[in-house]
Amino acid sequence: MTNNKEFVNFNVSARTARLIGRENVATSDGAIIELVKNTYDADSKYCIVYFDIPYSTLPQIIQEGDFNELLKHALSINLELRDFYIQNKITFEWEIRKYSLPQGATSDEVEQFKKDRAGESETLRGFFGALTNIYIIDNGEGMSAETIKKNWMTIGTDNKTYDIKSKGGRTKSGAKGIGRFALDRLGRLCVLKTTTENSNGVIWKVDWDSFEQNGKNINEIYATLETPDADNNMDALSILGPEIVGEIKAGLKKRKNPLDLEKTLSTGTIIKISSVRDHWNDLAIKNLKDRLESLVPPSEDTSFQLFLFCSNTAKYNGLLQPEICEDYDYKLEVNLDKKLNLSGRVIRNEFRLEDIPSEFFQSDDTKDLKDKIKLLDFPLSELMPGISDMELSKTGPFSFTLYFMKRTVPNKTDTEKYYQKKIDTNSRSLWLDSYGGIKLFRDNFRVRPYGERGSSSWDWLELGNRVALNPAQVSRHRHWKVSPNNITGVINISRIENPYLEDKSSREGVQENDSFLFFKNIIEKLIKIFEDDRSYFFSELLKFNQKKSTLPSEDEISKRDIEKATQIANEIYQQYKNKNDGSKRKSKKTDNETIATVYLKEKEEKEGLAKELTEMREENSLLRVFASSGVTIASFTHELENLQIKLGSRFDEIKQLIAPLIDEASLSNIYKYDNPYYRLDLFEKEDKKLKQWLQYTLRTIRKDKRNQQNINIADYLENFKTEWSDTLDERCVNLTLQNKSTDYRLKSFEIDLDCIFNNLLINSLDVFIRNEVSSECRNIEISTEKLSDGFHIRYEDSGPGLSKDIVNAQDIFQATYTTKRDKYGKEIGTGMGMWLVKKSLEQYNASCTILPGTSGFSLEIIFP
């Protein structure tokens, strides 16, 4: 038997042009931006966007001559304009028809009347709006007829993918080969005139509605290409018309450096878009202006300039350029290089540094706050410990500039307490409303819609969620989070240096792959540099003011007496101090001096205790989380015990039941996952694992573990090894005990010892798996010895040791400190294990030290 085989090719429907043009480019603003990017890629020195808008609003009166021209156009699209306008018999002007409801109209008739009028208005607005013409003008390298045929007319052409640099050295921002379909999003008709150095120019025309013909493939739809004779030089400006050329020239002459339109258009492209699909009213033009202004980052570079002109209003006409932020409280400038090293600076512009008392800067904690500028130079791993231990996503180098601006004026008390500068809140709010948000730029062009107000991607870093989860005051160091409403920022990436941060095919945003998620986590950590610096400054100023005890408290009415007493006590104490300065023999205190001295000392101690209490409350809140988990398990102890008894043995019963029905020997030749006996064996193994963990959990919460007793450490460790033996065997880990002192007893709670050694062991097991340590090399040793200074316990494993990103080994004992990260760079560890180890040891006045110079992880505990 012979099979007939043939090769068949794919066909593309003509409506594909609509899918990747009108429907793929989300907004008309986005479509214009795509065309502006093309002018930049063509090495143009400028781009002019001109709107010829004869009717920005619905005309109520139309002159007779104009109406006759409009009538011809309306009839060509099967619209009878005289159904909507009536001619005045005296002035011959055409006035829009006015309708009135007949008396006694029912509610249904009223609703129908409103519906009819709304429909007529919408029809007319669409008709008059479509009369707008949009022009895109550039003086780039232009296109030859061959380029139009080979590249412009090829959907998804890859010429910009491989030919990344333009002739002028610019990195081309386009690469998808679909940007030209933005023309379809803007209007039905398009005429393009383009000229190169070696040609007289060509004219390309298309009617995008022709792509909507039923049953047509895309290769059956045609655009037209006209090439003038060699001796017929084409006037590039003829497509604009004399009035439009005059308006543009007049606008360009008003500049400090006038631009000669004709001289600069020896090469380049002019696009005319007609029968537009959107109604370009005043608000739409304003919104477009805002988008275009932020299309390029603030810079002194004038190698590419963007102009906007509108025929019906002059207020938006002229050069568009982003406004540089100068009135800011804080500025962060950071560059990340290929080796993930950070360099940059933090600029503190919020404080009146010259007014802060010099004694504030005397301590080691505050001496670095004296400078307005703080320089940054350290590896990213210092900010994100653990990233050196993971396979890094290919994010690539980039630069980031962040501005922070308060919108509201602090109250007078806070302004003086924190030495803050005066600000103009009105101008700041207006500036932030226009330019706020963190924006992403690739090769000097915006990647929309990140940081764009009104879009779902305005707060694309989800900074608002961080504030909502932790709305701490700025004086809470390491806890304060900045609101997205108070910042603006610029991130610069490149097609060459950041190839994995690639545009979506819609040109709206970056593909959300692993690299992009890792990139977002880096940006969040960079923002934390600024947050920590600002909150640290405020927290230190708060402590400084509390020590001075001369400023009123926040609640000055209810605490007025305390404030007055503090002031009096300070005055008396200063008098006593001045009296005894330089004196070898101190004079005897008067009663008032004694009271003042004791009062101030007690007040200082009280403030220290208040801070300690706050820290304890935070610790207790963390401990409550763990306690609630234990209580939940304890509540179901009986059920869990019954469950773990059943686990493991139930599959033997199932095998006995099915054995008479299915002979296991008869299944030897079938695929193993189709063999019920094989599947039952797998389930039994999973049951055993679950049983082990249930046994461990139930042992942990036994009541006797919560009773204090004299525990023999050697016996405890032997029992500890036995309880973990199944898990250790399963993970191919060898645990060795070296008990040189077998009779040492510690009066303690067994649950505390469990907390210490369980967390150490869990960390080792985890690091063996995460770092894929060979099963032959997974060793843990716990040794004990009684020495003169106390009882020593040494814990060692053969893993890779602490991450090289950890500068200070003792940092691992801080709550929430972790180096465990997922492939996106996001923290996944709780950071609680080693903190719990330290807290458990503190109850016994035991010390805990990370031992350096070992190949793996080594820790020594000393019980005094």
Side-chain angles (χ1 to χ4, degrees):
M1 181 176 178
T2 304
N3 291 326
N4 293 323
K5 183 172 71 172
E6 62 177 318
F7 294 95
V8 294
N9 64 297
F10 286 96
N11 284 323
V12 181
S13 169
R15 64 186 293 270
T16 303
R18 178 177 179 177
L19 294 175
I20 62 178
R22 205 180 316 169
E23 297 180 12
N24 194 43
V25 180
T27 64
S28 53
D29 292 354
I32 289 178
I33 287 171
E34 286 302 313
L35 297 171
V36 172
K37 285 182 179 180
N38 282 345
T39 69
Y40 180 84
D41 291 349
D43 275 335
S44 181
K45 302 298 183 185
Y46 61 80
C47 174
I48 299 172
V49 180
Y50 184 94
F51 282 85
D52 178 22
I53 306 177
Y55 299 99
S56 58
T57 60
L58 197 61
Q60 301 297 308
I61 298 175
I62 304 174
Q63 299 298 319
E64 184 179 16
D66 294 336
F67 188 83
N68 290 334
E69 290 298 319
L70 290 169
L71 187 60
K72 294 177 185 177
H73 179 66
L75 291 173
S76 69
I77 58 173
N78 298 318
L79 177 69
E80 180 49 77
L81 202 58
R82 285 169 295 200
D83 289 344
F84 304 96
Y85 284 85
I86 188 169
Q87 190 173 32
N88 187 309
K89 301 301 182 183
I90 300 174
T91 62
F92 298 104
E93 295 172 335
W94 287 82
E95 302 171 354
I96 197 164
R97 287 182 182 273
K98 292 184 172 52
Y99 299 88
S100 58
L101 271 169
Q103 286 188 343
T106 65
S107 59
D108 289 342
E109 289 173 335
V110 171
E111 288 301 317
Q112 186 61 44
F113 178 83
K114 291 179 179 178
K115 187 176 180 181
D116 291 341
R117 301 293 78 75
E120 290 175 1
S121 296
E122 189 63 30
T123 300
L124 285 176
R125 267 193 288 270
F127 170 73
F128 284 104
L131 297 176
T132 294
N133 292 318
I134 304 173
Y135 298 88
I136 312 289
I137 307 165
D138 75 70
N139 71 332
E141 60 186 11
M143 292 183 288
S144 65
E146 188 62 26
T147 302
I148 289 178
K149 293 175 186 177
K150 184 178 178 181
N151 296 331
W152 183 261
M153 292 293 292
T154 300
I155 298 173
T157 179
D158 58 359
N159 65 305
K160 289 186 181 180
T161 302
Y162 300 103
D163 188 13
I164 294 176
K165 290 284 187 179
S166 69
K167 292 180 180 178
R170 291 177 179 171
T171 302
K172 296 178 181 179
S173 59
K176 299 294 182 184
I178 59 174
R180 71 221 56 167
F181 287 96
L183 294 166
D184 180 27
R185 174 63 184 82
L186 292 171
R188 181 173 67 88
L189 302 174
C190 176
V191 178
L192 179 147
K193 279 190 174 184
T194 182
T195 307
T196 66
E197 287 182 349
N198 303 318
S199 73
N200 293 327
V202 294
I203 300 174
W204 179 85
K205 296 179 181 179
V206 69
D207 181 348
W208 294 107
D209 281 1
S210 62
F211 287 86
E212 297 185 10
Q213 299 178 51
N214 292 332
K216 292 282 188 179
N217 288 335
I218 202 161
N219 61 338
E220 299 177 81
I221 307 299
Y222 298 92
T224 61
L225 188 64
E226 301 174 17
T227 306
D229 297 333
D231 56 350
N232 183 16
N233 290 326
M234 183 178 67
D235 181 8
L237 293 176
S238 61
I239 191 175
L240 299 173
E243 290 186 7
I244 294 176
V245 171
E247 287 183 31
I248 294 175
K249 283 183 176 181
L252 295 177
K253 284 180 180 177
K254 292 179 182 178
R255 302 179 65 240
K256 291 182 179 178
N257 299 311
L259 191 65
D260 191 313
L261 192 62
E262 272 114 345
K263 285 184 179 179
T264 58
L265 275 176
S266 57
T267 63
T269 302
I270 299 178
I271 300 174
K272 177 183 179 181
I273 303 154
S274 307
S275 295
V276 299
R277 306 188 191 280
D278 297 274
H279 186 55
W280 291 94
N281 55 21
D282 189 76
L283 178 61
I285 296 295
K286 180 185 181 302
N287 288 337
L288 175 64
K289 176 180 179 290
D290 293 340
R291 302 282 191 271
L292 292 176
E293 276 185 335
S294 61
L295 188 58
V296 293
S299 172
E300 300 296 328
D301 183 15
T302 58
S303 61
F304 179 78
Q305 295 183 317
L306 182 56
F307 298 88
L308 175 66
F309 292 96
C310 188
S311 64
N312 66 338
T313 178
K315 61 182 176 181
Y316 302 125
N317 290 357
L319 177 67
L320 302 180
Q321 54 188 358
E323 187 177 337
I324 297 175
C325 180
E326 296 178 346
D327 177 27
Y328 57 85
D329 291 316
Y330 255 85
K331 182 179 181 181
L332 172 71
E333 297 175 340
V334 180
N335 285 289
L336 184 71
D337 64 20
K338 293 180 180 179
K339 296 181 179 180
L340 295 182
N341 291 317
L342 284 169
S343 61
R345 59 182 184 168
V346 177
I347 303 176
R348 306 163 178 139
N349 200 40
E350 185 171 7
F351 310 102
R352 306 189 311 275
L353 295 176
E354 66 280 2
D355 293 340
I356 299 177
S358 58
E359 57 263 33
F360 171 73
F361 302 106
Q362 298 303 314
S363 73
D364 292 337
D365 294 333
T366 58
K367 61 183 181 181
D368 292 335
L369 300 177
K370 189 173 184 179
D371 297 323
K372 182 178 179 180
I373 297 176
K374 174 185 176 181
L375 297 179
L376 305 173
D377 188 9
F378 51 84
L380 182 65
S381 57
E382 189 174 316
L383 196 65
M384 301 174 68
I387 62 168
S388 299
D389 302 327
M390 55 184 284
E391 185 179 351
L392 293 178
S393 299
K394 299 174 182 178
T395 299
F398 62 86
S399 66
F400 177 35
T401 302
L402 177 76
Y403 298 91
F404 166 75
M405 305 162 68
K406 298 188 298 290
R407 284 178 178 261
T408 58
V409 179
N411 61 54
K412 188 175 180 181
T413 301
D414 282 349
T415 302
E416 293 306 315
K417 183 193 297 184
Y418 297 113
Y419 302 93
Q420 293 172 286
K421 294 178 180 179
K422 293 182 179 179
I423 61 173
D424 184 347
T425 57
N426 290 332
S427 62
R428 280 192 171 194
S429 293
L430 289 172
W431 198 94
L432 282 168
D433 288 342
S434 297
Y435 301 104
I438 295 179
K439 297 175 176 62
L440 182 64
F441 291 82
R442 178 185 281 107
D443 298 311
N444 295 317
F445 262 94
R446 271 281 305 279
V447 180
R448 300 177 62 244
Y450 302 117
E452 193 169 281
R453 281 198 175 273
S455 74
S456 59
S457 297
W458 176 69
D459 183 21
W460 58 286
L461 294 168
E462 300 180 10
L463 301 179
N465 290 341
R466 294 164 73 241
V467 176
L469 292 171
N470 189 8
Q473 294 182 344
V474 66
S475 56
R476 290 283 306 281
H477 181 44
R478 296 187 182 278
H479 290 273
W480 176 73
K481 308 298 181 188
V482 68
S483 167
N485 291 302
N486 292 94
I487 56 174
T488 182
V490 172
I491 303 171
N492 283 299
I493 60 175
S494 166
R495 276 186 65 196
I496 297 174
E497 300 289 353
N498 312 95
Y500 292 91
L501 299 178
E502 192 175 0
D503 282 345
K504 294 178 180 177
S505 59
S506 65
R507 309 303 293 275
E508 292 283 317
V510 173
Q511 294 179 22
E512 297 193 6
N513 52 25
D514 293 354
S515 295
F516 182 63
L517 295 174
F518 183 72
F519 174 71
K520 286 174 64 176
N521 281 313
I522 293 178
I523 298 299
E524 184 179 334
K525 290 298 182 183
L526 294 180
I527 292 173
K528 196 174 186 301
I529 294 176
F530 142 69
E531 290 174 334
D532 286 352
D533 189 272
R534 183 172 186 256
S535 63
Y536 183 69
F537 210 123
F538 272 87
S539 65
E540 290 300 314
L541 281 172
L542 179 63
K543 287 192 287 186
F544 177 71
N545 286 314
Q546 288 173 341
K547 287 182 180 179
K548 285 174 61 179
S549 300
T550 57
L551 294 176
S553 63
E554 294 180 5
D555 190 4
E556 65 176 22
I557 296 176
S558 63
K559 298 182 180 179
R560 186 174 295 168
D561 292 340
I562 297 175
E563 177 188 293
K564 188 174 181 180
T566 304
Q567 184 177 354
I568 294 170
N570 269 308
E571 292 173 356
I572 295 172
Y573 176 68
Q574 287 299 326
Q575 291 171 5
Y576 167 75
K577 192 175 179 182
N578 293 336
K579 185 170 62 176
N580 287 283
D581 279 351
S583 175
K584 293 182 180 179
R585 186 176 179 182
K586 295 185 181 294
S587 63
K588 186 178 179 181
K589 292 191 184 81
T590 65
D591 290 344
N592 286 341
E593 289 169 346
T594 301
I595 293 170
T597 305
V598 172
Y599 171 80
L600 291 174
K601 184 63 178 174
E602 290 291 332
K603 189 172 186 295
E604 183 181 13
E605 289 179 356
K606 181 182 177 183
E607 289 166 352
L609 288 171
K611 182 181 178 182
E612 191 175 328
L613 180 61
T614 300
E615 293 174 353
M616 289 178 64
R617 283 172 177 164
E618 291 175 354
E619 287 182 6
N620 284 336
S621 67
L622 292 171
L623 292 172
R624 280 196 296 271
V625 174
F626 294 102
S628 65
S629 300
V631 170
T632 303
I633 294 171
S635 301
F636 295 94
T637 300
H638 181 70
E639 290 83 351
L640 292 174
E641 285 177 342
N642 289 336
L643 177 61
Q644 66 100 3
I645 291 171
K646 296 176 183 177
L647 292 174
S649 61
R650 53 184 176 168
F651 294 105
D652 291 334
E653 297 175 7
I654 296 175
K655 288 179 181 178
Q656 291 174 8
L657 291 172
I658 66 172
L661 304 174
I662 305 174
D663 181 19
E664 185 174 1
S666 66
L667 303 174
S668 59
N669 294 325
I670 71 168
Y671 180 56
K672 62 182 180 179
Y673 286 101
D674 291 334
N675 185 337
Y677 289 96
Y678 179 79
R679 297 288 288 271
L680 285 171
D681 288 339
L682 290 180
F683 296 154
E684 187 174 5
K685 289 180 182 178
E686 295 298 321
D687 261 20
K688 287 181 178 178
K689 290 181 184 177
L690 182 57
K691 185 172 184 175
Q692 290 171 11
W693 283 108
L694 279 174
Q695 288 173 342
Y696 163 73
T697 303
L698 293 170
R699 285 197 303 268
T700 302
I701 61 172
R702 281 203 326 256
K703 199 169 185 178
D704 62 321
K705 286 181 176 279
R706 288 171 274 153
N707 296 327
Q708 193 174 40
Q709 49 193 310
N710 284 313
I711 300 174
N712 184 297
I713 298 299
D715 292 343
Y716 169 82
L717 290 174
E718 290 289 349
N719 188 53
F720 173 80
K721 179 180 178 180
T722 302
E723 289 183 343
W724 279 93
S725 60
D726 289 340
T727 301
L728 293 170
D729 290 343
E730 180 193 338
R731 301 200 180 189
C732 302
V733 177
N734 178 41
L735 173 58
T736 305
L737 299 179
Q738 298 288 345
N739 290 313
K740 296 180 181 179
S741 300
T742 59
D743 58 349
Y744 179 80
R745 291 181 175 272
L746 177 69
K747 190 173 183 180
S748 64
F749 298 93
E750 189 175 343
I751 198 169
D752 288 337
L753 296 177
D754 285 347
C755 180
I756 295 166
F757 290 102
N758 285 343
N759 277 296
L760 290 173
L761 184 64
I762 289 169
N763 278 349
S764 295
L765 295 177
D766 179 70
V767 82
F768 288 151
I769 299 299
R770 281 194 298 122
N771 291 274
E772 299 180 353
V773 176
S774 171
S775 58
E776 294 83 16
C777 302
R778 297 180 182 181
N779 300 311
I780 298 173
E781 181 177 297
I782 304 176
S783 59
T784 63
E785 185 175 9
K786 182 72 173 71
L787 298 175
S788 59
D789 60 338
F791 185 72
H792 290 236
I793 301 177
R794 185 161 178 163
Y795 180 94
E796 297 176 287
D797 71 34
S798 58
L802 291 181
S803 168
K804 62 183 180 181
D805 298 338
I806 299 175
V807 178
N808 182 3
Q810 295 302 114
D811 286 347
I812 69 172
F813 296 111
Q814 295 177 10
T816 71
Y817 185 92
T818 181
T819 59
K820 296 178 185 176
R821 298 181 181 275
D822 61 17
K823 60 182 179 180
Y824 312 124
K826 192 170 185 178
E827 294 175 353
I828 54 174
T830 63
M832 304 303 295
M834 296 306 294
W835 177 75
L836 288 170
V837 169
K838 182 183 178 185
K839 287 298 174 184
S840 298
L841 290 169
E842 284 178 353
Q843 297 183 70
Y844 303 96
N845 295 319
S847 64
C848 185
T849 308
I850 306 297
L851 301 178
T854 57
S855 57
F857 173 76
S858 184
L859 171 143
E860 185 174 49
I861 298 169
I862 303 177
F863 288 94

